[in-house]
Each structure stands twice: as C-alpha cells, then as structure tokens.
Amino acid sequence: MYIEAYHLTVNRVVSLWALGTIGILLLGVMISIYKKNFPLFRYGVMVVSVCYLILSFSHMDYFIADYDLKKISENEPYFLNTDTYASEGEEGYYNTTSLDYVIWLSSDAAPAIARYDGAWKKDYEDRMKDMYGEESIRKFNLSHHIALKNIK
C-alpha cells in the first residue's frame, strides 16, 4: 500500500530486496533447526551472493521509472503531458516528488522514459546529453549508449 501511494524509489526496492533475502535466510535457519547437519553458513553465503547478483543485474532504475510513470499516467495523466514543467511554488507544480525523482534516475531508465512526453522529459534528456554526450570508445558504456539512442 505504501509503494502504491508514494511510488517506487531505490531505497524502497533495496528494502524489499533485503526483506526477501532475510526471509530466504530464515528459511535456512528453520531447516537447520530440524536437520542438524544442514550447512547453514554455506547456504547463507550462497543466498546472499545470488540475491545480490540478481539485484545488481536487475536494471532497477528502468523498473522504477516504468512503475512510477505508469502509476502517474493512470492517476494524474495531465502531469505527464503538460507543456510546461512548473517549479516548486509555481502554479501547476506536481506536489509529489515522483516525477522529479524519475528525472534524476540513471541512464537505465531511458527506455521507460522515452515512451512518455512532456516538458519534464526534456530535463532528463538534457542531463543525459550533458553527462554522456561525448564519450570516447575507451569510456563506452552500453546503458549510456542505449539512453542516448532513446532520447534522440
């Protein structure tokens, strides 16, 4: 309910990941209580390693942007399609930080953001161009390349 009301953030995803990992670890503890020769330490190392790898390779920012923008477009579609992106205190300012949060996500979020229109999107595109516009082959990063391709 909390995520539905206030949308996703990196901290919320990491908290859910930690709860899931702890739940799986506790399952191993319960097994070790009934099975005395259960290798609990090895099990714990394996669970934490696998869960960490899943989190690391999950492109979390893409899923956050996709979820948040879908929820905003379902509830307040006029905030996504506005021609002007008002600053705080101005008329038309979107009072929650969800849209501002999405703008500051990493280059992994670009494919999700590319599906929407609005003045807020220009802020994200400008930031991506400033950060990754002139990268040499030595500094090549696939996420940055995909982001630049999506915003052009």
Side-chain angles (χ1 to χ4, degrees), residues 69-141:
L69 291 171
K70 277 182 188 173
K71 289 296 181 184
I72 292 170
S73 68
E74 288 172 5
N75 298 330
E76 297 98 0
Y78 46 88
F79 285 118
L80 292 179
N81 299 321
T82 184
D83 290 335
T84 58
Y85 181 62
S87 300
E88 188 171 1
E90 293 179 19
E91 187 176 330
Y93 173 70
Y94 186 33
N95 205 10
T96 67
T97 58
S98 297
L99 208 49
D100 289 332
Y101 188 80
V102 169
I103 291 169
W104 286 98
L105 290 174
S106 73
S107 57
D108 285 340
I113 291 173
R115 293 187 292 240
Y116 296 90
D117 288 323
W120 60 273
K121 184 178 171 184
K122 178 115 174 64
D123 291 343
Y124 179 80
E125 291 173 349
D126 291 344
R127 195 171 66 80
M128 288 296 112
K129 287 176 185 172
D130 288 346
M131 290 175 69
Y132 310 122
E134 298 290 326
E135 285 191 337
S136 66
I137 192 72
R138 194 177 63 123
K139 293 183 179 181
F140 180 79
N141 182 304

Side-chain angles (χ1 to χ4, degrees), residues 37-54:
N37 61 351
F38 181 74
L40 184 60
F41 181 75
R42 274 195 255 161
Y43 172 80
V45 168
M46 185 62 76
V47 165
V48 171
S49 299
V50 168
C51 288
Y52 179 75
L53 286 173
I54 290 170

